[in-house]
Amino acid sequence: MKNHFYKVVLLFIVLLSSSCNKWLELEPQDGITRQEFWKTKEDVQAAAIGIYGSLLNEPLVYNLFTWGELRADMISATLNTTTDESNIMTANILSSNSLTSWRALYQTINYCNTLIEFAPQVLKTDPTFKQADLDAYLAEAYAIRGLMYFYLLRTFRDVPLKLSATSSDATLELLPKSSETQVYNQIIKDLDFAALHAKTTYQNQDMDKGRVTKYTVYAIQADAYLWMNDYEKCVAACDKIIGSNRFGLIPTFSQSSWFNTLFYNGNSNESIFEFQFDSQKLNPFHSMFVQSNRRFLASSVVMDEVYTVNSTDETKYDYRGNRAALRASDGMIWKFSGAQSGSDDIDPRPAADSYAHWIVYRYADILLLKAEALAWLNRGQEAIGLVNVIRERGKALESSARNPDVTSAIDVSEYVLEERARELAFEGKRWFDVLRNAKRNNYENLNLLLQMVIKNAPPQSQQIIVNKFKDPNSHYLPINDYELTTDKNLVQNPFYQK
Amino acid sequence: MTSNQTISMGFMKNIFSTVLYCAISFCCLLFAGNLYAQSTKITIRGRVIDSKDKQPIIGGAVAELDKDGRTIAGATTDIDGNFAIKVSSLNSQLSFSYLGYRTIKQPINGRTVINISLVPAASELQEVVVQARRAVDNGTGLTIDARNSTVASATISAKDLEELSAQSIDQALQGRLSGVDFGTTSGDPGAGMSIRIRGTASINGSADPLIVLDGMPYETEIPSDFNFGTADEQGYAQLLNIAPADIKDITVLKDAAATAVWGSRAANGVLLINTKRGTIGRPAITYTFRGSLAKQPNAIPMLNGDQFSMLVPEMVMNRDGLPLNIQSNKEFSYDPLDPYWYNNYSTNTDWIDEITQLGYMQDHNISMTGGGEKARYYASIGYLNQVGTTKGTDLGRITSKINLDYNVSSRIRFRTDITYTHVNNTLNYTNQIRNVAYNKMPNMAPYEYDINGNETSNYFSPSQNIQGRYPGTYNPLAMASEGFAFSNGERITPRFQLNYDISPVFKTSYDVLFDINNTKVNTFLPQVATGRPVTETTVNVASDADADFFKITNKLNFIYSPKLGENQTFQGLFQLMTDESKNVYHFAAASNTASSELQDPSNPSRTITGFLSSNRVVSRSLGVLANAQYGFGDRYFINGSIRMDGNSKFGPNNRYGFFPGISVRWRLSGEKFMRKMDFIDDLSLRASYGQSGKAPRNDYTFYNLYNNWDHTYLGQSGVYPANMELSNLKWETVIGKNLGFNLALFKNRLKVDAEVYHNRTRDMFYEGLQISSFTGYSSVSVNVGTMDNQGWEIALNTIPLKTKKWLVNFDFNVARNINIVRSVSEFYPRENGTRINQNGVYKTYLQIGNPFGSFYGFKFKGVYKDEQATIAKDVNGSDIVDPTGQKVFMRFNYPLTDYVFKPGDAIYEDINHDGNINYMDMVYLGNSIPKVVGGFGPSITYKGNLKLNVFFSYRLNYDLINGTKMNTTNMYGYSNQSTTVLQRWRNPGDETDVPRALLGMGYNWLGSDRYVEDASFVRLKSATVRYNLSKSFLNKIKFRSASVYLTAENLYTWTKYTGQEPDVTIRGNNNPFAYAQDNSLTPPSKNLLLGISAGF
């Protein structure tokens, strides 16, 4: 009897131990594992679209807007502005401020890195997927990565350069900050690859505006070169776009048709790259600008000083002001909230229709970038010409015209800057534009920035703020506390070190 | 065949293959031994009579039993007590039995006529009771005499708990067992509790102990990836739904050697629950009733409408010197010419009163138990109905249980237990209603007034007002009455056990347990509860969550207990256990259904706002255990075990873990030199060491998964990597050491159990270790470090008085536990995220080697009465001046914040006298870990029939943050405040300790000692008077037993604490940065319970 028993136990143990490892091996039943993914060209396509999809996620566009506008002079706060937001606006910036988090951008960078790292292996498994197809997808990933680092460069200056995908806990690493030059060089490197391999068109207008084309890359290049004062290259990049004859300014036959084409519908002939919000994925602006508890208004100076008003003839007005950039009656930021329809109807978009695209680059922007570069190449006359093209299209008022000395780069450049404020109001550009002009030639024109920052400041703290901004380090946001605790190699911007 | 079907087919096959493995091998065992001979039938005759009155026994059972005690043939006695039975062998036994009589077994020994007289059974039962010795059951199958147990455990019998008003056993256990801490999560019906045995061994993740019900693990956790749409997990039908009346006893296994045999999941301790089983005897029916009333005690006094509308404009005025705009805030215009606003905003509404009702509970339970030699049963059915103290909350529960034991022969026994629970639980749509009601502006009307000033029956739900809008605030009455979260749960747990004794010393058993637990949660948020326009997606939101859990557990035991002679005992166990659970979850939600009456997401609605999710998770685990106990004489005992665990939640590199345990007991009182001390019944020392492992909560983490975005880009779907693969994650191991001491004196009238323990958690899991966001992720699950949990416990049981009339027991327990982090990943934060300029929070630090729980902040010194008072003073008390000779005023956090204190602001002590209140002025304010916790209470019995039971619980020497005081006196937002703020600073020169009202500005309620209080308390937790009806009276009314009792709970609390509820533990308890804060606005409810129990 005992013999029988031991045999059975033995058999049982053998059976069990051989099968139990297999029995404990379970695979998830929802979702795809990396091992199953990256097999076909469709997988690469889905991952590329995934990168764009992440651009719509909050708070990325919110970050782009707030970093580009809050420290500048065209926005004012309401009673509902959050503490963090109003602290940025009043230059009371601490590293605990949630707006100093760069998380959303690096998330997109990780998706780019993932595609860059894994897409090449599809060449082995999908014979229909050719090197050129791969390069075109890589170009999109490199361009978006370059764009994200360019925003980081302008906002934080020195940031860690993460260039590999985070796919396993075994590959986690702690990076130090890279210097401004290193980051800039990386951006240029990414963009060079993208410029070489990106498609010129996807044979579809929406795709051409919503995905990276060669012209998207040129636009980022132009902006980046100008940031580092490489004027020749900036002009060259702009000329590639201008010379392609694929883009033009939307004419202003009527203010409403111009507004609808360019901003309400989006993806117009003027546009170069837009984030494609739609009814499935709304932009973050409704609660920021439209709702009764909105957090931001156009500053009162925008109408009075930027666009100016013709008090004698009300039919004459800058088309880009009232009912385009803002609604003058209550200061609502209109560019992303305005509803389609005739000019009489001044209702904003309802919440469910809040999907105006976020325009990253458009033709008018390129013309003005070029104008600024020309000014510093001593081609002031050409620069003024470009500015006038923009002014004419926008029906700018005589009262906002200047007559700068074409031989003075600073004068022309300041005029371009003023025109950029009118043309690109609330498009997340203002702070970067002013900072770029202020820091040029070793902060030659720092005054530009100092004059701007006191506009929003309460009188009693103006002096404190001016003193703060005299330190160039203060022009860049601090590294968020979170990042400092999680990576001991990061060193805080000296201005914010306690 | 779709892929889904393939998956589920594959799944079924797997279940069957495991069941089959176990079942087939078990059958083999059965057949390995047993073949019995057949021979010709012989008839045996005889008569059965009662031994006392010599009357024939009619209908008595006569059975032939083979050598294993298996019934082969049977017959019954006739009207004269005669029987005739054909037997197979003259070597068999005959058994004679009849209900109420003692069964007699006699070998036939070749006789053909056998006469028998049966003895009534009553005497036998008593004999059994006298001899019975309590055995400690570690749940695995070994039965070890409690006296010889080598491990730290504590047992409580259900008798001690039956008089409490708790609906589930966890509530009843609170404070009764040393070293076990229970925390209430919410006062709503059906809300669960958190159970902590010896503190928490984990820095994050579940810290709930493993529940073992009748020897099988019992699931009490919801898988992490399930989301029930309701506000919190407790809203989900509670998992520990065993009717208190069915419980026989509860044992807590505390030291690691005891829990090591349970391997993974036992790292947080083990709670063994045994339910009642049938006993031999006539059917005994017991009915118990418990009914209770619960009244929400009075809250702290809040401002009425008039006082509130004085406060708000003052608060706004202090902000920037501009008056409140009553054109845009008509709530405060009080203009009789505008009757709509005037009437709707000029009331004195007591919102708490509006949503509160009298709560009650009734619990009925009927059980029947009995059985004979062959079969025994315990069956019960219970019904519980409870109505909560907040409108719109109730709980209905039906429980039923049947436990059957059947002895096929003396070697083969079956056991079948089936439990069914049905739960209907209605809760409010959100559990924040009470908070919102406290904060709600009291000048607002609950029901709308029309334009003519007549009150209507419509709820007054403005889409927004000065306080904000949904979800921040709303009409609490409308929310409580119209919104709901309804959960409906069914749980069936059939369990089968087959025991087979291969030989008297070698036994085996096989168990299979199925656990089917299905829950559906429906929620609905009607428009009227939010006040928002019907076009918004936040209104008429219907959701439906459905979760089906299915679990199968197999357990195969081999027990070897040879006879080693007089002086030695040995028991060995080999156990194999497999566990597979499959969870399917589905969730659908839709907003903007056409009407508030269409409350299901299947109704057509704006699908764009609806969403759908579902998932399916399978996890498996495997345990192999070898465990043995050896005893030498009455003095030396040693117990050793080794367990191997395998778990599908780990990647291939770390899938298996080995966890050993060893424990010893030395009974000094058994040694020769102690023998003479008769008064010592037991004096033992115990020591143990053990390890147990813990698996992570989430499945499939070792895969890098790709998901779809929930939106398209240009009409195309995008895929993104959703996580990183966790290839480094390994078992979290708890290494426990325990020293124990047992002393029993004077015939067990004085018993002392003391334990000192040290539990070290190695490779501690941390689910959300923050990582730099440049990785693209925010957190990662890792093994983060080492933490110690150490402390001691003493339990004292005494019987100071024992006479014929009086029996007095006195029990006392005390315990202390602290957590210390010994090492932790350098990426683990060292301080909490509190910023100096944040009001209402305290600073805490993680200090390696120091216990948790200390918090830091400012010293509050009152209120600046005028501008003169805000001038900064140096060490000598003279004014500080700047280089130009100007007086300097006190500043806050210069230069980063640089706020200049104004008259009416809170004064914080300038510790370093630099005229600047900043982080250098933060000091140690207190520690929220109690020095000791425990309970005590006497139990007095008079003549065995009248019994008084009193129980106190206490928690001594710890600091608590009075969050209620903070939130109701800060005058910082538009929330209603307590009447304390009537003493606020208003004009220069006012001397008070309540700062000025200042809307959304200033630093008047920074974390300071103003809110820190010593919260030591002793609470009269419960007092019960019970009367058992006398035997003679019971005989008259033909009852077996009957008793009535009355229990009052939370009668009184002795404390210096000025808040509402001092009994607050650190929520979550496992966050090194947590501190205890009491946010209750009412004291705990006083309950009165009436109970009746009757047996037939």
Side-chain angles (χ1 to χ4, degrees), chain B residues 77-95:
Chain B
T77 56
D78 65 10
I79 197 163
D80 297 320
N82 292 323
F83 70 92
I85 183 168
K86 283 186 178 169
V87 298
S88 322
S89 161
L90 289 180
N91 296 323
S92 298
Q93 282 191 331
L94 278 192
S95 109

Side-chain angles (χ1 to χ4, degrees), chain B residues 4 24 142 164 251 304 536-537 713 800 810 816 929 948 1007:
Chain B
N4 242 353
I24 290 176
L142 285 189
L164 300 174
T251 301
N304 64 25
E536 266 182 31
T537 56
Y713 189 82
F810 186 83
R816 156 111 170 129
I929 307 293
L948 173 70

Side-chain angles (χ1 to χ4, degrees), chain B residues 296 299-300 434-435 438 960-965 967-968 1019 1057-1064 1067 1077-1084:
Chain B
Q296 196 65 239
I300 57 168
R434 209 155 264 279
N435 287 341
Y438 277 112
L960 185 61
I961 287 156
N962 189 343
T964 314
K965 182 171 171 186
N967 296 327
T968 58
R1019 172 170 289 168
Y1057 180 67
T1058 60
Q1060 303 297 300
E1061 166 65 309
D1063 190 4
V1064 174
R1067 290 282 172 261
Q1077 178 162 336
D1078 163 36
N1079 289 326
S1080 356
L1081 290 143
T1082 56

Side-chain angles (χ1 to χ4, degrees), chain A residues 5 12 21 23 29 32 34 38 45-46 49-50 53 57 92 103 166-167 169 174 210 280 481-483, chain B residues 29 469 506 576 616 620 656 704 706 709 711-713 716 719 725 727 771-773 775 778 827 835 896:
Chain A
F5 169 70
F12 183 83
N21 206 12
W23 188 71
Q29 297 173 14
I32 323 157
R34 186 180 71 233
W38 301 116
Q45 151 97 5
I49 296 297
N57 286 342
N92 182 13
R103 177 184 303 281
T166 307
S167 58
D169 58 356
L174 297 179
Q280 276 182 18
D481 286 338
Y482 175 92
E483 309 299 335
Chain B
L29 288 170
R469 56 188 191 143
F506 196 68
L576 253 170
R616 170 199 295 268
R620 294 185 180 139
Y656 300 96
N704 188 184
Y706 284 63
W709 287 122
H711 56 271
T712 59
Y713 189 82
Q716 294 177 317
V719 167
E725 76 179 39
S727 43
I771 52 172
S772 298
S773 59
T775 58
S778 50
F827 307 116
R835 308 303 304 181
L896 288 167

Side-chain angles (χ1 to χ4, degrees), chain B residues 514-536:
Chain B
F514 301 94
D515 188 346
I516 303 139
N517 188 356
N518 296 345
T519 300
K520 189 176 175 70
V521 180
N522 279 95
T523 66
F524 187 69
L525 176 67
Q527 189 274 333
V528 64
T530 65
R532 301 301 303 165
V534 284
T535 51
E536 266 182 31

Side-chain angles (χ1 to χ4, degrees), chain A residues 8 11-12 15, chain B residues 17-31 510:
Chain A
V8 172
L11 179 77
F12 183 83
L15 275 176
Chain B
S17 57
T18 31
V19 177
L20 270 177
Y21 274 135
C22 297
I24 290 176
S25 45
F26 197 83
C27 290
C28 293
L29 288 170
L30 281 183
F31 289 109
Y510 169 67

Side-chain angles (χ1 to χ4, degrees), chain A residues 162-192:
Chain A
K162 171 75 178 163
L163 303 172
S164 59
T166 307
S167 58
S168 159
D169 58 356
T171 64
L172 287 177
E173 54 187 338
L174 297 179
L175 296 172
K177 285 199 301 190
S178 295
S179 71
E180 184 178 22
T181 326
Q182 286 168 321
V183 178
Y184 176 69
N185 289 342
Q186 182 62 43
I187 294 168
I188 296 302
K189 197 173 149 201
D190 283 356
L191 295 178
D192 283 346

